[in-house]
Amino acid sequence: MLDVRDLTVHIGQTRPLVRGVSFHVGAGETVGLVGESGSGKSLTARALVSLLPNGLRAGGSALLHGRELVGRDHPAGVRGHQVALLMQDPFTMLNPLTKVSTHILESLPGAAGRTEVARRLAEVGIDDPAVAGRYPFQLSGGMRQRVALAAALAKDPGLLIADEPTTALDMTTQHEVLALLRRIQVERGMGLVLITHDLRVARETCDRLLVMYAGTLVESVSSAALDTPAHPYTAGLLRSVPSITHRQPVLLGIPGSVPAAADVTDRCPFADRCAWAEPACTAHAPELVDLGGRATACRRHHEIDLTPAPETPQTPPETSDQRDILLDVHDLTKVYRSVGFRRTAHTALAGVSLQVGEGESVAVVGESGSGKTTLARAVLGLTDPTGGRITLDGIDLTSYRRLRAGDRAQARRVVQCVFQDPYSSLNPAHTVGYALREALRQRGEPVQSEVDDLLSLVGLPGDCAGTYPEALSGGQRQRVAIARALAVRPRLLVCDEPVAALDVSVQAQILEVLRTANRDLGIALLFITHDLAVARQVTDRMVVMRHGLVVEHGTTAGVLDDPVHPYTVRLVESIPGAHRPRENQGEAHVPQ
């Protein structure tokens, strides 16, 4: 169906961003493009549908049913009709001021009517006819992605390119969207190119995987053979994936970051981050060598053993009943009421109770809309609860506005936060050192050595102090955000999806920083996440929320290994590649 040969993407005349990429996709086959951010996955996809940003140009060849895609400014009758692109954020595909029905009608050929719109929506699992009359902002993230998929498939393309279609979704919604893609693909005999940085998703969904690094392919392998990698980069990605079955002693990311493709054209691009590199690896660029059923661009593939070593599961820490209570949330409620002609009420929290002990780490998990972030905002004083009580270190924090100045200052020293998006939590006009010094001033006169100590604690070099946030990668920014939170020496750190937007390798590094803060500094964690494998690696206990209620709680191992509530069972079963262990490692409790 699709035959890509020596695909390149350049900026200007000579600076490559993607180079020498070759692969094929058969009818009904799913091929995954995996790798860290900056590897060239999305640029490869955009080159195939002539959607490269201004200033970039594609070279090489990509034949779709024998028709050339590369070099065509506007491939009439190709984009949409023969090949379609589904993006990560449906808001980039859907006009927020246009109803769902209009999006579908604009994509359908000929004079289609409401019946055809309803049929197309039903194909992607939307059976409610009222959805057709709604706007995208009135739908959930999963529902928007289904509408975007319906619009992408409206012209019945033979090939779909899906660029991180589930990255921003919670586990159950991700599972549903991937199952939907698979069902439609089988029914239509459609080829699928899935771009993702989540190896769990890629392994479960794809027939073959193409591993990209610094704009080039470094390995091609079947999903079944992924556990025996032939390239050190693939092995590093696999080591970085958090386990859902046990708590790992050490979370191993890949040191360093992806280099610019133009800087490594004459050498192995992974050499600077590779534990097996030798001088010959930087002498010339290795070719992709066919090994029979797989291919690798590692010149030492025949002499190094990349098989992962077996791990000894870490013993779960002691539970909260052996610790003094630091945070006590009792019967917390939060109701959002709208004003105007039509008054409505939405209950975000419906009587939530939980405790966090000194030095303990507690996960709060659940789907989007379960009330996790509202709970975190209430603890941080960013929203006032409608009812209930929040006590932190003996201070009643139910309403920050009613606190005396001294109590408010004390609360701010006791609790700090790390948000999902490090871009919005750091001031782009201030250097890293300035941001850390400002935080240090909250507990006394800072000295440069303290700034250096904080950077060292989160794994950053001291020269980062003079750097502005825009010059750092996403993972480095998140490390700075954590260092700033730790500067005031808090006793509780509230983490709201702190690794949801990060590559798997960077994610492992950030999680290890948080585990170190919890284990070595005794800082308690209230960890908000929808990724149960991440929760397994960081937390002692787990609270499962649904529709503003706690439906199950217990030790993290107990809840994940032997879930009791049907909702928790569904969450666990939604994890790509998850399996249920035979023996329970803890006790779970279902609130009455």
Side-chain angles (χ1 to χ4, degrees):
M1 176 180 289
L2 177 68
D3 187 15
V4 180
R5 299 288 181 92
D6 198 28
L7 181 70
T8 62
V9 176
H10 286 80
I11 181 170
Q13 296 298 317
T14 59
R15 188 172 178 82
L17 300 177
V18 173
R19 54 191 177 89
V21 172
S22 300
F23 64 94
H24 63 272
V25 182
E29 185 181 24
T30 302
V31 175
L33 286 179
V34 300
E36 296 170 285
S37 297
S39 294
K41 307 184 301 295
S42 293
L43 283 179
T44 298
R46 289 177 175 272
L48 298 177
V49 291
S50 298
L51 288 177
L52 288 173
N54 291 333
L56 302 188
R57 60 182 181 84
S61 173
L63 298 176
L64 180 64
H65 293 301
R67 186 169 184 176
E68 184 62 63
L69 300 181
V70 175
R72 304 176 68 95
D73 294 331
H74 300 284
V78 176
R79 188 193 305 152
H81 292 275
Q82 295 187 32
V83 57
L85 177 64
L86 178 65
M87 299 180 185
Q88 173 179 343
D89 183 2
F91 271 124
T92 61
M93 295 183 64
L94 303 177
N95 187 334
L97 302 180
T98 301
K99 292 182 179 180
V100 168
S101 59
T102 305
H103 282 100
I104 307 300
L105 285 170
E106 287 177 343
S107 302
L108 288 172
R114 293 183 179 179
T115 302
E116 183 62 15
V117 170
R119 189 182 75 82
R120 297 288 182 162
L121 291 176
E123 184 183 28
V124 296
I126 301 177
D127 298 319
D128 183 0
V131 172
R134 294 174 184 162
Y135 294 93
F137 62 82
Q138 295 176 308
L139 305 176
S140 66
M143 192 73 79
R144 283 195 294 267
Q145 194 63 289
R146 289 170 184 263
V147 172
L149 177 59
L153 298 179
K155 290 184 172 66
D156 300 318
L159 176 69
L160 177 66
I161 301 174
D163 189 358
E164 300 277 10
T166 62
T167 297
L169 305 177
D170 56 59
M171 283 291 185
T172 52
T173 307
Q174 171 183 274
H175 179 76
E176 292 168 359
V177 171
L178 290 175
L180 174 65
L181 274 173
R182 182 60 180 165
R183 176 178 61 80
I184 293 175
Q185 180 192 20
V186 171
E187 291 175 352
R188 295 185 173 207
M190 181 176 65
L192 175 63
V193 176
L194 178 66
I195 299 172
T196 180
H197 64 257
D198 191 332
L199 263 68
R200 292 172 300 183
V201 168
R203 185 203 302 265
E204 184 168 279
T205 308
C206 302
D207 303 309
R208 289 187 294 115
L209 299 180
L210 306 174
V211 184
M212 292 193 68
Y213 185 80
T216 188
L217 288 180
V218 296
E219 184 165 1
S220 172
V221 59
S222 69
S223 297
L226 185 61
D227 285 330
T228 55
H231 195 282
Y233 179 59
T234 309
L237 291 178
L238 287 171
R239 285 196 306 269
S240 302
V241 177
S243 172
I244 186 59
T245 62
H246 64 276
R247 183 160 172 153
Q248 297 161 263
V250 179
L251 295 172
L252 297 172
I254 306 175
S257 57
V258 180
D263 297 337
V264 290
T265 56
D266 58 350
R267 55 181 297 179
C268 172
F270 190 62
D272 291 341
R273 304 172 72 187
C274 181
W276 291 273
E278 57 184 19
C281 295
T282 58
H284 58 84
E287 296 182 355
L288 198 66
V289 179
D290 188 354
L291 303 180
R294 69 188 310 160
T296 181
C298 178
R299 57 176 296 277
R300 301 193 63 193
H301 65 85
H302 59 286
E303 56 184 283
I304 58 177
D305 183 10
L306 298 174
T307 305
E311 290 184 328
T312 301
Q314 190 179 55
T315 302
E318 62 183 12
T319 54
S320 65
D321 56 1
Q322 299 168 301
R323 309 170 190 249
D324 294 333
I325 300 303
L326 176 62
L327 174 68
D328 185 13
V329 177
H330 178 70
D331 200 24
L332 202 67
T333 62
K334 177 63 180 179
V335 179
Y336 291 98
R337 303 184 187 279
S338 64
V339 295
F341 178 73
R342 291 185 176 180
R343 296 189 177 184
T344 59
H346 170 66
T347 301
L349 300 175
V352 173
S353 297
L354 62 85
Q355 294 179 333
V356 180
E358 290 277 5
E360 188 184 25
S361 54
V362 177
V364 181
V365 303
E367 296 171 303
S368 299
S370 61
K372 306 186 305 293
T373 296
T374 301
L375 172 64
R377 289 175 59 83
V379 171
L380 294 168
L382 300 177
T383 187
D384 283 344
T386 306
R389 186 183 71 253
I390 303 173
T391 306
L392 177 67
D393 193 29
I395 303 173
D396 188 342
L397 297 186
T398 308
S399 176
Y400 273 72
R401 293 179 298 176
R402 298 176 183 175
L403 287 175
R404 292 177 299 180
D407 287 342
R408 186 182 299 111
Q410 172 66 14
R412 297 301 186 196
R413 286 191 293 269
V414 172
V415 61
Q416 287 290 301
C417 57
V418 179
F419 293 107
Q420 175 177 346
D421 184 9
Y423 291 84
S424 59
S425 60
L426 297 174
N427 190 328
H430 293 161
T431 65
V432 168
Y434 181 91
L436 296 181
R437 286 191 294 272
E438 281 295 295
L440 287 167
R441 288 191 184 99
Q442 301 301 313
R443 61 177 180 84
E445 188 66 26
V447 294
Q448 183 59 40
S449 63
E450 290 182 285
V451 173
D452 293 339
D453 289 344
L454 283 170
L455 292 173
S456 176
L457 178 65
V458 297
L460 290 175
D463 56 12
C464 273
T467 306
Y468 288 91
E470 65 177 9
L472 302 176
S473 67
Q476 289 173 324
R477 288 190 187 98
Q478 194 63 293
R479 288 171 185 255
V480 173
I482 294 173
R484 186 181 61 180
L486 297 178
V488 298
R489 296 178 183 171
R491 291 160 62 192
L492 174 66
L493 198 59
V494 178
C495 303
D496 189 4
E497 300 280 8
V499 296
L502 303 178
D503 290 323
V504 63
S505 175
V506 179
Q507 172 183 278
Q509 298 169 25
I510 298 301
L511 293 179
E512 190 61 33
V513 169
L514 291 173
R515 292 210 311 191
T516 300
N518 175 242
R519 180 185 63 243
D520 298 346
L521 304 181
I523 297 174
L525 301 179
L526 183 63
F527 198 91
I528 313 294
T529 182
H530 65 255
D531 191 328
L532 301 185
V534 165
R536 179 114 201 196
Q537 301 308 315
V538 180
T539 62
D540 312 331
R541 289 193 301 114
M542 178 174 289
V543 174
V544 183
M545 290 186 62
R546 182 172 187 257
H547 298 330
L549 291 168
V550 174
V551 297
E552 186 168 352
H553 64 82
T555 65
T556 299
V559 171
L560 294 181
D561 292 345
D562 193 17
V564 178
H565 195 279
Y567 175 70
T568 313
V569 173
R570 184 159 63 90
L571 288 180
V572 172
E573 291 178 345
S574 298
I575 303 171
H579 65 275
R580 297 277 297 278
R582 294 181 179 179
E583 296 183 1
N584 181 22
Q585 299 181 23
E587 295 182 355
H589 174 66
V590 181
Q592 300 299 317

